[in-house]
Amino acid sequence: MKPWEANIRKVVPYVPGDQPKGSHLVKLNTNENPYPPTPGVSAALKEMDYDLFRKYPDPASSVLVDALSEYYKVDRDEIFVGVGSDDVIAMAFMTFFNSDKPVLFPDISYSFYPVWAELFGVPYEKPALDENFKIVKEEYYRENGGIIFPNPNAPTGLYMPLSEVEDIVSHNQDSVVIVDEAYIDFGGTSALKLTRKYENLLVVQTFSKSRSMAGMRIGYAIGNPALIRALNDVKYSYNSYTMNMPSQILGAKAVEDRAYFQDTVEKIIHTREQAKLRLHELGFTFPESMANFIFASHETARAKDIYEALRQNSIFVRYFNQPRIDNYLRITIGTDEEMEALYCFLKEYL
Ligand code: PMP
Protein backbone atom coordinates (compact mmCIF):
# COMPACT_ATOMS: atom_id res chain seq x y z
CA MET A 1 0.00 0.00 0.00
CA LYS A 2 1.29 3.49 -0.85
CA PRO A 3 1.65 5.75 2.22
CA TRP A 4 -0.96 8.19 0.87
CA GLU A 5 -3.47 5.41 0.41
CA ALA A 6 -3.91 5.20 4.18
CA ASN A 7 -5.43 8.70 4.05
CA ILE A 8 -8.01 7.93 1.42
CA ARG A 9 -11.54 8.06 2.76
CA LYS A 10 -13.27 4.68 2.53
CA VAL A 11 -16.95 4.83 1.74
CA VAL A 12 -19.57 2.36 0.61
CA PRO A 13 -21.03 4.23 -2.37
CA TYR A 14 -24.65 4.59 -3.35
CA VAL A 15 -25.41 2.40 -6.36
CA PRO A 16 -27.68 4.19 -8.82
CA GLY A 17 -30.03 2.29 -11.13
CA ASP A 18 -28.72 1.25 -14.55
CA GLN A 19 -28.96 3.69 -17.42
CA PRO A 20 -28.81 1.17 -20.27
CA LYS A 21 -28.14 2.49 -23.77
CA GLY A 22 -30.16 1.67 -26.88
CA SER A 23 -33.36 2.69 -28.57
CA HIS A 24 -35.57 -0.38 -28.20
CA LEU A 25 -35.55 -0.59 -24.44
CA VAL A 26 -38.46 -0.65 -22.07
CA LYS A 27 -36.92 1.27 -19.21
CA LEU A 28 -38.93 0.86 -16.03
CA ASN A 29 -36.06 0.85 -13.56
CA THR A 30 -35.38 4.38 -12.28
CA ASN A 31 -38.82 5.96 -11.84
CA GLU A 32 -38.45 8.46 -14.64
CA ASN A 33 -41.56 9.96 -16.19
CA PRO A 34 -42.30 8.36 -19.58
CA TYR A 35 -43.75 11.58 -21.01
CA PRO A 36 -41.76 14.61 -22.18
CA PRO A 37 -41.59 17.85 -20.17
CA THR A 38 -44.13 20.57 -21.03
CA PRO A 39 -44.12 22.04 -24.56
CA GLY A 40 -43.11 25.36 -22.95
CA VAL A 41 -39.85 23.72 -21.84
CA SER A 42 -38.89 22.58 -25.34
CA ALA A 43 -39.82 26.01 -26.79
CA ALA A 44 -37.66 27.77 -24.18
CA LEU A 45 -34.79 25.38 -24.91
CA LYS A 46 -34.91 26.23 -28.62
CA GLU A 47 -34.88 29.95 -27.87
CA MET A 48 -32.11 29.76 -25.30
CA ASP A 49 -29.33 32.34 -25.52
CA TYR A 50 -26.05 30.42 -25.72
CA ASP A 51 -24.22 33.28 -24.03
CA LEU A 52 -25.53 31.67 -20.86
CA PHE A 53 -22.99 28.90 -21.34
CA ARG A 54 -20.08 31.33 -21.15
CA LYS A 55 -21.13 32.95 -17.90
CA TYR A 56 -21.41 31.61 -14.38
CA PRO A 57 -24.99 30.89 -13.31
CA ASP A 58 -26.93 32.94 -10.79
CA PRO A 59 -25.95 31.37 -7.45
CA ALA A 60 -29.31 32.30 -5.94
CA SER A 61 -31.25 30.60 -8.80
CA SER A 62 -33.59 33.61 -8.68
CA VAL A 63 -35.63 32.82 -11.79
CA LEU A 64 -36.47 29.37 -10.46
CA VAL A 65 -37.05 30.51 -6.89
CA ASP A 66 -39.44 33.20 -8.18
CA ALA A 67 -41.38 30.64 -10.22
CA LEU A 68 -41.64 28.25 -7.26
CA SER A 69 -42.63 31.07 -4.96
CA GLU A 70 -45.51 31.99 -7.25
CA TYR A 71 -46.53 28.38 -7.80
CA TYR A 72 -46.60 27.37 -4.14
CA LYS A 73 -47.65 30.76 -2.75
CA VAL A 74 -44.71 30.88 -0.35
CA ASP A 75 -42.07 33.58 0.08
CA ARG A 76 -38.72 33.39 -1.67
CA ASP A 77 -36.94 33.01 1.65
CA GLU A 78 -38.91 29.81 2.30
CA ILE A 79 -37.37 28.08 -0.77
CA PHE A 80 -34.01 26.42 -1.30
CA VAL A 81 -33.02 24.88 -4.64
CA GLY A 82 -30.41 22.26 -5.41
CA VAL A 83 -29.08 20.03 -8.17
CA GLY A 84 -31.76 17.38 -7.85
CA SER A 85 -33.34 16.55 -4.52
CA ASP A 86 -30.29 14.36 -3.87
CA ASP A 87 -28.24 17.54 -3.62
CA VAL A 88 -30.88 19.22 -1.45
CA ILE A 89 -30.97 16.26 0.94
CA ALA A 90 -27.17 15.98 1.08
CA MET A 91 -27.04 19.68 2.03
CA ALA A 92 -29.75 19.08 4.62
CA PHE A 93 -27.78 16.22 6.19
CA MET A 94 -24.75 18.50 6.41
CA THR A 95 -26.76 21.41 7.77
CA PHE A 96 -29.18 19.87 10.25
CA PHE A 97 -27.92 16.47 11.31
CA ASN A 98 -25.01 17.39 13.57
CA SER A 99 -25.89 15.83 16.86
CA ASP A 100 -24.48 12.84 18.75
CA LYS A 101 -28.01 11.47 18.79
CA PRO A 102 -28.99 9.20 15.94
CA VAL A 103 -30.77 10.40 12.85
CA LEU A 104 -33.81 8.21 12.18
CA PHE A 105 -34.98 6.87 8.83
CA PRO A 106 -36.94 3.72 7.92
CA ASP A 107 -34.98 0.48 7.55
CA ILE A 108 -36.47 -0.02 4.10
CA SER A 109 -36.30 3.32 2.39
CA TYR A 110 -34.27 5.44 0.01
CA SER A 111 -30.87 3.76 0.02
CA PHE A 112 -28.99 7.05 -0.24
CA TYR A 113 -29.82 8.04 3.39
CA PRO A 114 -27.37 5.66 5.09
CA VAL A 115 -24.71 6.58 2.51
CA TRP A 116 -24.97 10.28 3.43
CA ALA A 117 -25.06 9.48 7.13
CA GLU A 118 -21.83 7.50 6.78
CA LEU A 119 -20.20 10.12 4.57
CA PHE A 120 -21.00 12.96 6.96
CA GLY A 121 -20.20 10.91 10.06
CA VAL A 122 -23.71 11.05 11.50
CA PRO A 123 -24.95 8.27 13.79
CA TYR A 124 -28.23 6.75 12.62
CA GLU A 125 -30.89 4.21 13.51
CA LYS A 126 -33.29 2.55 11.13
CA PRO A 127 -36.67 1.88 12.79
CA ALA A 128 -38.31 -1.19 11.27
CA LEU A 129 -41.38 -1.03 9.06
CA ASP A 130 -44.30 -3.17 10.19
CA GLU A 131 -45.14 -6.54 8.57
CA ASN A 132 -47.06 -4.73 5.82
CA PHE A 133 -44.12 -2.41 5.07
CA LYS A 134 -45.82 0.53 6.79
CA ILE A 135 -43.82 3.21 8.63
CA VAL A 136 -44.75 2.98 12.33
CA LYS A 137 -45.01 6.58 13.50
CA GLU A 138 -44.43 5.73 17.17
CA GLU A 139 -40.95 4.46 16.26
CA TYR A 140 -40.08 8.09 15.59
CA TYR A 141 -40.98 9.27 19.08
CA ARG A 142 -37.63 8.09 20.49
CA GLU A 143 -34.75 10.49 21.11
CA ASN A 144 -33.09 11.54 17.88
CA GLY A 145 -30.82 14.02 16.15
CA GLY A 146 -33.16 14.46 13.18
CA ILE A 147 -35.60 12.49 11.06
CA ILE A 148 -35.98 11.89 7.34
CA PHE A 149 -38.45 9.68 5.49
CA PRO A 150 -39.93 9.64 2.02
CA ASN A 151 -43.67 10.01 1.60
CA PRO A 152 -44.72 7.97 -0.32
CA ASN A 153 -41.94 5.69 0.85
CA ALA A 154 -39.50 4.25 -1.67
CA PRO A 155 -39.21 1.54 -2.79
CA THR A 156 -42.52 0.38 -1.27
CA GLY A 157 -44.73 3.15 -2.71
CA LEU A 158 -46.77 3.26 0.52
CA TYR A 159 -48.20 6.64 1.45
CA MET A 160 -48.53 7.91 5.00
CA PRO A 161 -51.61 10.10 5.58
CA LEU A 162 -50.81 13.73 6.35
CA SER A 163 -52.21 13.43 9.89
CA GLU A 164 -49.54 10.81 10.72
CA VAL A 165 -46.80 12.91 9.14
CA GLU A 166 -47.98 15.78 11.31
CA ASP A 167 -47.86 13.57 14.42
CA ILE A 168 -44.19 12.80 13.71
CA VAL A 169 -43.36 16.46 13.10
CA SER A 170 -45.20 17.71 16.18
CA HIS A 171 -43.68 15.06 18.44
CA ASN A 172 -40.19 16.08 17.37
CA GLN A 173 -40.09 19.83 17.63
CA ASP A 174 -36.53 19.72 18.97
CA SER A 175 -35.28 18.13 15.72
CA VAL A 176 -35.49 18.93 12.06
CA VAL A 177 -37.90 16.56 10.33
CA ILE A 178 -37.43 16.19 6.58
CA VAL A 179 -40.25 14.78 4.47
CA ASP A 180 -38.86 13.63 1.13
CA GLU A 181 -41.78 14.03 -1.26
CA ALA A 182 -40.16 12.86 -4.50
CA TYR A 183 -43.36 10.96 -5.38
CA ILE A 184 -46.06 13.07 -3.71
CA ASP A 185 -47.70 14.33 -6.91
CA PHE A 186 -48.98 10.85 -7.83
CA GLY A 187 -51.93 10.99 -5.47
CA GLY A 188 -50.73 11.95 -1.98
CA THR A 189 -51.31 15.13 0.03
CA SER A 190 -48.18 17.18 0.54
CA ALA A 191 -46.89 18.29 3.94
CA LEU A 192 -46.21 21.70 2.34
CA LYS A 193 -49.33 23.02 4.00
CA LEU A 194 -47.67 22.41 7.41
CA THR A 195 -44.40 24.29 6.89
CA ARG A 196 -45.76 27.52 8.37
CA LYS A 197 -47.18 25.67 11.35
CA TYR A 198 -43.96 23.80 12.24
CA GLU A 199 -40.60 25.55 12.17
CA ASN A 200 -38.81 22.18 12.29
CA LEU A 201 -40.38 20.81 9.09
CA LEU A 202 -38.54 20.77 5.76
CA VAL A 203 -40.36 19.42 2.72
CA VAL A 204 -38.20 18.29 -0.20
CA GLN A 205 -39.54 17.79 -3.73
CA THR A 206 -38.07 17.20 -7.20
CA PHE A 207 -38.61 17.91 -10.89
CA SER A 208 -37.33 14.42 -11.72
CA LYS A 209 -40.59 12.47 -11.50
CA SER A 210 -43.89 14.31 -11.95
CA ARG A 211 -42.25 17.06 -14.01
CA SER A 212 -40.27 14.77 -16.36
CA MET A 213 -36.95 16.54 -15.86
CA ALA A 214 -34.64 14.04 -14.15
CA GLY A 215 -31.83 14.92 -16.56
CA MET A 216 -31.93 18.61 -15.65
CA ARG A 217 -31.24 17.89 -11.95
CA ILE A 218 -33.69 20.19 -10.18
CA GLY A 219 -34.78 19.74 -6.58
CA TYR A 220 -36.03 22.10 -3.89
CA ALA A 221 -36.90 22.36 -0.25
CA ILE A 222 -39.59 24.49 1.35
CA GLY A 223 -39.58 25.38 5.02
CA ASN A 224 -39.15 28.05 7.64
CA PRO A 225 -36.80 30.89 6.54
CA ALA A 226 -34.37 30.02 9.36
CA LEU A 227 -33.94 26.51 7.90
CA ILE A 228 -33.56 27.88 4.36
CA ARG A 229 -30.97 30.43 5.48
CA ALA A 230 -28.97 27.69 7.20
CA LEU A 231 -29.10 25.53 4.07
CA ASN A 232 -27.90 28.42 1.91
CA ASP A 233 -25.03 29.16 4.32
CA VAL A 234 -23.81 25.58 3.96
CA LYS A 235 -24.38 25.54 0.22
CA TYR A 236 -22.40 28.74 -0.33
CA SER A 237 -19.60 27.33 1.79
CA TYR A 238 -19.53 24.15 -0.21
CA ASN A 239 -20.60 24.48 -3.86
CA SER A 240 -21.69 28.06 -4.36
CA TYR A 241 -22.65 28.00 -8.05
CA THR A 242 -24.70 24.88 -7.99
CA MET A 243 -27.47 24.84 -10.56
CA ASN A 244 -26.63 25.54 -14.19
CA MET A 245 -28.54 28.33 -15.89
CA PRO A 246 -30.45 26.20 -18.46
CA SER A 247 -31.86 24.12 -15.59
CA GLN A 248 -32.89 27.25 -13.71
CA ILE A 249 -34.65 28.69 -16.75
CA LEU A 250 -36.28 25.47 -17.95
CA GLY A 251 -37.33 24.57 -14.42
CA ALA A 252 -39.06 27.95 -14.12
CA LYS A 253 -40.82 27.27 -17.44
CA ALA A 254 -41.93 23.80 -16.36
CA VAL A 255 -44.14 25.06 -13.54
CA GLU A 256 -46.05 27.45 -15.82
CA ASP A 257 -48.13 24.88 -17.67
CA ARG A 258 -50.36 23.46 -14.96
CA ALA A 259 -52.81 21.77 -17.33
CA TYR A 260 -50.09 19.70 -19.04
CA PHE A 261 -48.62 18.72 -15.66
CA GLN A 262 -52.02 17.65 -14.36
CA ASP A 263 -52.67 15.69 -17.51
CA THR A 264 -49.46 13.65 -17.47
CA VAL A 265 -49.74 12.94 -13.74
CA GLU A 266 -53.31 11.72 -14.25
CA LYS A 267 -52.21 9.50 -17.13
CA ILE A 268 -49.53 7.91 -14.93
CA ILE A 269 -51.99 7.38 -12.07
CA HIS A 270 -54.45 5.77 -14.46
CA THR A 271 -51.76 3.47 -15.90
CA ARG A 272 -50.66 2.57 -12.35
CA GLU A 273 -54.18 1.57 -11.34
CA GLN A 274 -54.44 -0.57 -14.49
CA ALA A 275 -51.03 -2.09 -13.68
CA LYS A 276 -52.28 -3.14 -10.24
CA LEU A 277 -55.07 -5.14 -11.87
CA ARG A 278 -52.85 -6.66 -14.55
CA LEU A 279 -50.01 -7.58 -12.19
CA HIS A 280 -52.49 -9.06 -9.75
CA GLU A 281 -53.91 -11.26 -12.53
CA LEU A 282 -50.38 -12.41 -13.26
CA GLY A 283 -49.89 -13.56 -9.67
CA PHE A 284 -48.11 -10.58 -8.13
CA THR A 285 -48.84 -9.02 -4.77
CA PHE A 286 -47.75 -5.55 -3.70
CA PRO A 287 -48.24 -2.80 -1.16
CA GLU A 288 -50.80 -0.18 -2.26
CA SER A 289 -48.64 2.24 -4.25
CA MET A 290 -49.26 5.99 -4.40
CA ALA A 291 -46.10 6.58 -6.43
CA ASN A 292 -45.10 6.15 -10.08
CA PHE A 293 -43.91 2.61 -9.42
CA ILE A 294 -45.18 -0.68 -7.98
CA PHE A 295 -43.16 -2.83 -5.60
CA ALA A 296 -44.22 -6.34 -6.49
CA SER A 297 -43.49 -9.89 -5.46
CA HIS A 298 -44.65 -12.99 -7.36
CA GLU A 299 -46.45 -15.89 -5.66
CA THR A 300 -44.15 -18.53 -7.21
CA ALA A 301 -41.40 -17.09 -9.42
CA ARG A 302 -38.27 -15.61 -7.84
CA ALA A 303 -37.84 -11.85 -8.31
CA LYS A 304 -34.21 -12.23 -9.34
CA ASP A 305 -35.10 -14.73 -12.07
CA ILE A 306 -37.88 -12.52 -13.40
CA TYR A 307 -35.57 -9.51 -13.33
CA GLU A 308 -32.89 -11.33 -15.30
CA ALA A 309 -35.31 -12.76 -17.84
CA LEU A 310 -36.81 -9.30 -18.39
CA ARG A 311 -33.34 -7.84 -18.80
CA GLN A 312 -32.45 -10.41 -21.44
CA ASN A 313 -35.43 -9.07 -23.34
CA SER A 314 -34.49 -5.41 -22.95
CA ILE A 315 -37.10 -4.72 -20.28
CA PHE A 316 -35.47 -3.09 -17.27
CA VAL A 317 -36.97 -3.06 -13.79
CA ARG A 318 -35.22 -2.59 -10.43
CA TYR A 319 -34.10 -5.46 -8.24
CA PHE A 320 -32.71 -4.91 -4.73
CA ASN A 321 -30.39 -7.53 -3.38
CA GLN A 322 -31.23 -6.68 0.23
CA PRO A 323 -32.66 -8.67 3.15
CA ARG A 324 -36.48 -8.75 3.34
CA ILE A 325 -36.98 -7.16 -0.11
CA ASP A 326 -34.91 -9.52 -2.24
CA ASN A 327 -38.03 -11.15 -3.62
CA TYR A 328 -39.50 -7.88 -4.88
CA LEU A 329 -39.21 -5.95 -8.11
CA ARG A 330 -39.75 -2.22 -8.32
CA ILE A 331 -41.53 -1.52 -11.59
CA THR A 332 -41.75 2.08 -12.80
CA ILE A 333 -45.02 3.06 -14.47
CA GLY A 334 -44.25 3.70 -18.13
CA THR A 335 -46.50 4.48 -21.08
CA ASP A 336 -49.40 2.13 -21.75
CA GLU A 337 -47.38 0.60 -24.62
CA GLU A 338 -44.38 -0.04 -22.39
CA MET A 339 -46.58 -1.63 -19.74
CA GLU A 340 -48.22 -3.79 -22.39
CA ALA A 341 -44.77 -5.04 -23.45
CA LEU A 342 -44.08 -5.93 -19.83
CA TYR A 343 -47.36 -7.82 -19.30
CA CYS A 344 -46.92 -9.60 -22.62
CA PHE A 345 -43.49 -10.87 -21.66
CA LEU A 346 -44.56 -11.81 -18.12
CA LYS A 347 -47.57 -13.73 -19.38
CA GLU A 348 -45.31 -15.87 -21.53
CA TYR A 349 -42.61 -16.23 -18.92
CA LEU A 350 -44.62 -17.06 -15.81
N1 PMP B 1 -35.74 10.79 -2.83
C1 PMP B 1 -36.25 9.62 -3.21
C2 PMP B 1 -37.12 8.87 -2.26
C3 PMP B 1 -35.95 9.10 -4.48
O1 PMP B 1 -36.44 7.91 -4.86
C4 PMP B 1 -35.15 9.85 -5.35
C5 PMP B 1 -34.85 9.34 -6.75
N2 PMP B 1 -33.86 8.40 -6.84
C6 PMP B 1 -34.62 11.06 -4.89
C7 PMP B 1 -34.96 11.50 -3.63
C8 PMP B 1 -33.68 11.87 -5.71
O2 PMP B 1 -34.22 12.39 -6.86
P1 PMP B 1 -33.53 13.56 -7.65
O3 PMP B 1 -32.13 13.76 -7.13
O4 PMP B 1 -33.56 13.13 -9.07
O5 PMP B 1 -34.37 14.78 -7.40
Side-chain angles (χ1 to χ4, degrees), residues 95-341:
T95 309
F96 304 119
F97 297 164
N98 287 296
S99 139
D100 296 336
K101 296 174 196 160
V103 167
L104 307 180
F105 44 81
D107 67 337
I108 296 169
S109 187
Y110 187 30
S111 43
F112 227 140
Y113 301 155
V115 175
W116 284 313
E118 301 274 349
L119 186 64
F120 302 131
V122 183
Y124 61 95
E125 282 174 16
K126 300 190 290 181
L129 302 182
D130 76 7
E131 66 282 7
N132 299 315
F133 288 123
K134 275 197 174 153
I135 293 177
V136 182
K137 68 177 182 186
E138 290 80 6
E139 289 277 0
Y140 296 80
Y141 297 170
R142 66 177 91 161
E143 217 184 6
N144 66 76
I147 293 174
I148 181 165
F149 58 90
N151 195 32
N153 196 7
T156 64
L158 273 174
Y159 167 72
M160 179 189 265
L162 190 59
S163 61
E164 291 188 32
V165 172
E166 180 163 8
D167 287 342
I168 293 179
V169 176
S170 71
H171 263 86
N172 286 285
Q173 296 195 37
D174 293 343
S175 311
V176 173
V177 178
I178 302 175
V179 186
D180 176 356
E181 293 190 337
Y183 303 102
I184 197 68
D185 291 329
F186 300 105
T189 303
S190 171
L192 279 175
K193 58 175 68 159
L194 300 176
T195 57
R196 289 199 172 155
K197 187 166 173 194
Y198 298 100
E199 290 182 349
N200 61 320
L201 170 63
L202 190 75
V203 177
V204 178
Q205 296 192 355
T206 177
F207 280 51
S208 298
K209 318 292 177 185
S210 55
R211 296 196 183 276
S212 309
M213 293 178 81
M216 297 308 291
R217 314 304 301 124
I218 307 170
Y220 53 98
I222 295 182
N224 185 274
L227 299 183
I228 301 304
R229 214 174 307 121
L231 277 167
N232 275 315
D233 287 348
V234 169
K235 171 185 148 164
Y236 289 134
S237 314
Y238 182 74
N239 59 352
S240 65
Y241 289 105
T242 48
M243 191 183 295
N244 69 69
M245 214 56 215
S247 291
Q248 294 185 28
I249 292 169
L250 300 179
K253 267 279 161 221
V255 295
E256 278 176 12
D257 193 345
R258 292 174 194 233
Y260 178 91
F261 168 73
Q262 210 51 48
D263 200 43
T264 46
V265 163
E266 274 164 22
K267 272 202 282 195
I268 292 168
I269 294 173
H270 181 261
T271 308
R272 177 188 72 206
E273 296 309 306
Q274 289 290 116
K276 289 178 185 172
L277 301 175
R278 298 294 293 273
L279 291 171
H280 187 69
E281 279 166 18
L282 288 163
F284 286 93
T285 51
F286 35 82
E288 196 53 48
S289 171
M290 275 275 240
N292 66 337
F293 55 83
I294 293 178
F295 189 58
S297 173
H298 195 260
E299 58 195 5
T300 51
R302 281 178 53 213
K304 190 153 193 275
D305 297 338
I306 306 175
Y307 161 78
E308 272 160 10
L310 285 168
R311 214 181 144 87
Q312 293 292 321
N313 285 273
S314 301
I315 302 176
F316 292 82
V317 298
R318 188 82 191 255
Y319 172 71
F320 299 89
N321 196 8
Q322 273 176 42
R324 194 169 166 195
I325 59 170
D326 60 358
N327 207 22
Y328 281 81
L329 299 172
R330 193 195 65 192
I331 304 168
T332 303
I333 303 303
T335 60
D336 288 333
E337 296 72 37
E338 287 173 320
M339 300 308 285
E340 211 50 59

Side-chain angles (χ1 to χ4, degrees), residues 42-56 245-247 249-250:
S42 57
L45 181 61
K46 285 186 195 122
E47 286 160 17
M48 196 166 279
D49 176 0
Y50 292 124
D51 200 38
L52 288 175
F53 288 68
R54 184 180 61 75
K55 294 185 286 193
Y56 283 110
M245 214 56 215
S247 291
I249 292 169
L250 300 179

